Amino acid sequence: MKLLDLRAELENDLSWRLDELRHLRNLLLPTADQESWPVSSMRTLLVMQYAHLEGYVRNSANIYVAFINSIQAAASDVRAELVAAALLQEFEAVRKGGGVEAQEDGDENGVLLKRAKSQVAFVNKIRMILENPVEIDSGSAVSLDMNLSADVLRRQLFVLGIPSERVERAQFSALEFVRRTRHDIAHGNRKERISTGEFQAHTSQSERFMSDLARLITSAARDGWYRSGDGA
């Protein structure tokens, strides 16, 4: 995947999400008289905005993983975080005390033997990574825990070798604002009328967050933040 391809995928995904949200807004809030906007319509749009924001974070991370895999870089050439990301399945297997090979043995082997086999499988995986280009499984490396908070975003960026210091504090604040509003609605705490000012702020912060994330991922790929020893 070339940098232009990464940028195009990020922009195309962002574009259709914003177009869909604007289309829904025109359908649900067709009048310019903000005082007449139905509170149920505003709640629906706020929840949809959060869903698209979370979806965009997940898809952007997957796009970046695909970019990293396409580089075909050796483990020594990329950041340690990305090598660790390539080993996430093995980490989990060791934590549980049994890898794929151990699980295939059924009940014939005891817990101690399964644990020993999982450790050997882990070493074999390390050898494979050292001898071959780094390959990250996006299904393991991209995880938002069904609840995209600022802490979850920081962890996700760390796993991808993108320092959270590169993210402006305003982005985390915007994310928390959007997330709290969505949760309040889901838990029935926003039955009263939502102020149009708050609604407009939610909309602008959602759009800004996704745009800023696209720029962040693009910068990470363009400027080589993934490289070992990079000062990012």
Side-chain angles (χ1 to χ4, degrees):
M1 177 187 287
K2 297 180 180 179
L3 178 61
L4 289 177
D5 297 324
L6 175 137
R7 181 182 289 127
E9 288 194 33
L10 290 172
E11 291 177 352
N12 289 339
D13 189 39
L14 177 59
S15 179
W16 86 260
R17 290 179 188 278
L18 295 180
D19 286 345
E20 178 169 282
L21 287 170
R22 288 163 187 163
H23 177 67
L24 286 172
R25 179 168 176 167
N26 289 336
L27 287 175
L28 297 174
L29 306 174
T31 177
D33 180 12
Q34 297 182 358
E35 294 304 316
S36 67
W37 287 352
V39 65
S40 58
S41 295
M42 286 192 285
R43 281 200 298 264
T44 298
L45 286 167
L46 292 175
V47 171
M48 282 298 296
Q49 283 172 181
Y50 174 84
H52 273 298
L53 187 151
E54 183 177 286
Y56 189 68
V57 171
R58 185 183 301 278
N59 199 42
S60 297
N62 283 323
I63 291 171
Y64 188 64
V65 168
F67 174 80
I68 295 298
N69 289 340
S70 72
I71 296 171
Q72 295 285 285
S76 59
D77 294 333
V78 299
R79 296 175 66 98
E81 296 93 327
L82 294 172
V83 178
L87 288 165
L88 284 173
Q89 289 180 310
E90 282 64 37
F91 289 149
E92 184 64 11
V94 170
R95 185 185 69 83
K96 291 181 177 179
V100 175
E101 294 179 5
Q103 293 170 3
E104 291 176 348
D105 288 337
D107 296 328
E108 294 182 4
N109 299 315
V111 174
L112 294 179
L113 180 55
K114 287 182 180 180
R115 185 175 301 161
K117 286 191 173 185
S118 73
Q119 292 167 351
V120 172
F122 180 68
V123 171
N124 285 334
K125 179 67 175 184
I126 292 178
R127 284 178 172 175
M128 186 183 75
I129 286 180
L130 293 177
E131 296 171 356
N132 297 281
V134 171
E135 183 77 17
I136 300 172
D137 175 53
S138 60
S140 301
V142 179
S143 175
L144 303 183
D145 293 338
M146 301 297 289
N147 182 14
L148 181 59
S149 63
D151 185 47
V152 169
L153 178 61
R154 287 189 179 94
R155 184 199 62 188
Q156 183 62 76
L157 292 175
F158 179 82
V159 168
L160 299 179
I162 301 177
S164 60
E165 292 78 14
R166 294 277 186 166
V167 181
E168 295 181 6
R169 184 181 299 272
Q171 282 183 262
F172 290 116
S173 298
L175 174 59
E176 284 302 306
F177 174 78
V178 173
R179 184 183 67 87
R180 285 196 302 268
T181 303
R182 177 263 185 187
H183 283 189
D184 285 346
I185 293 172
H187 296 159
N189 297 328
R190 287 300 182 98
K191 296 178 181 179
E192 73 283 359
R193 179 162 185 80
I194 299 171
S195 71
T196 55
E198 184 176 9
F199 176 79
Q200 300 283 30
H202 188 290
T203 298
S204 63
Q205 291 197 48
S206 292
E207 294 184 2
R208 177 188 174 189
F209 179 88
M210 290 189 285
S211 296
D212 287 346
L213 180 64
R215 285 191 288 271
L216 180 73
I217 297 295
T218 300
S219 295
R222 182 192 64 225
D223 299 336
W225 297 355
Y226 53 84
R227 297 190 185 100
S228 176
D230 179 75

